[in-house]
Amino acid sequence: MKQLITLTFFLLTLTAFAQKPCEYSVNVNDSIGTYKVTNEYLMSEKYFGGSFSYVFFSLAQTDGLPTLNLQLIQKSKDFIKANCFDKNSKIFLQLENGKIVTLMHINQESCGTLIQDEKDFSNRVNTGIFMFMKDNYEELKKSPISIMRIKYLTDTEDYIVKRELTSELNGKVSHPNTYFMENIRCVE
């Protein structure tokens, strides 16, 4: 009986700490190479005075090289200024252990696309691809994120990264601060 209780406790502990499987929106492996992209993950959501702003992350791996895809979606009845990415754009992630991880944008300028919808809202969608630096890549596996700073071509914006975020967009709960700890293994 004692062994049965021990075995049950062990199995329950094992399943409680098991990592969830990686989910990919793209997973291609052909004669040209390999390309994987994880599903988009809501990192930040702001609503202020009729304007909405969403930041989504997804991780990609192209022939063994991991990158971070950032998608910024803005929606407003007012004019939305363009925040452009260029070769000098960066993402700074301050970790809870005090270390700062820097991601560099690829050398491709992007100011996004402005789309007008049927309700007279302006929508701007901008995407950027950021590369991990070799010296601090491992830190993302060890500590949650507390603050994210995005440096654009002409502006810088800071985000407090929440432990738990319940989206007003779809009602889903996410845990942005542990995004890398839970998902970076999917592109290694």
Side-chain angles (χ1 to χ4, degrees), residues 83-105:
N83 283 325
C84 301
F85 294 120
D86 72 340
K87 64 181 179 179
N88 298 316
S89 294
K90 296 176 184 160
I91 296 177
F92 301 99
L93 302 170
Q94 182 167 345
L95 306 180
E96 288 183 6
N97 66 8
K99 297 188 178 179
I100 296 177
V101 175
T102 304
L103 287 80
M104 308 290 290
H105 190 263

Side-chain angles (χ1 to χ4, degrees), residues 24-85:
Y24 299 101
S25 59
V26 177
N27 191 355
V28 178
N29 190 0
D30 59 17
S31 61
I32 299 173
T34 61
Y35 182 66
K36 297 179 186 180
V37 180
T38 61
N39 291 336
E40 290 183 338
Y41 195 87
L42 181 64
M43 293 298 291
S44 176
E45 181 178 72
K46 291 181 184 177
Y47 174 70
F48 184 76
S51 295
F52 303 88
S53 175
Y54 306 97
V55 177
F56 291 93
F57 278 3
S58 63
L59 292 166
Q61 182 202 68
T62 308
D63 296 328
L65 177 70
T67 55
L68 175 70
N69 296 337
L70 177 142
Q71 184 176 53
L72 175 65
I73 301 172
Q74 297 169 289
K75 184 174 186 169
S76 179
K77 286 204 178 226
D78 299 326
F79 175 76
I80 302 173
K81 79 173 186 173
N83 283 325
C84 301
F85 294 120

Side-chain angles (χ1 to χ4, degrees), residues 128-183:
I129 300 172
F130 293 83
M131 298 179 293
F132 295 96
M133 307 280 285
K134 210 176 225 184
D135 59 340
N136 54 21
Y137 176 80
E138 292 296 320
E139 291 298 324
L140 292 170
K141 298 177 189 178
K142 299 176 188 174
S143 180
I145 307 166
S146 59
I147 300 172
M148 172 175 59
R149 173 174 282 171
I150 302 174
K151 181 187 177 301
Y152 300 101
L153 175 65
T154 58
D155 197 10
T156 300
E157 192 163 355
D158 292 334
Y159 298 86
I160 302 297
V161 181
K162 297 180 179 180
R163 290 184 188 275
E164 184 173 287
L165 173 63
T166 303
S167 174
E168 292 182 27
L169 179 67
N170 58 17
K172 289 184 179 180
V173 176
S174 63
H175 302 277
N177 72 324
T178 57
Y179 175 75
F180 290 104
M181 294 171 66
E182 295 171 3
N183 294 289

Side-chain angles (χ1 to χ4, degrees), residues 75-77 114-123:
K75 184 174 186 169
S76 179
K77 286 204 178 226
L114 186 63
I115 304 163
Q116 200 74 21
D117 69 15
E118 66 278 352
K119 297 179 183 175
D120 290 331
F121 272 94
S122 296
N123 299 280

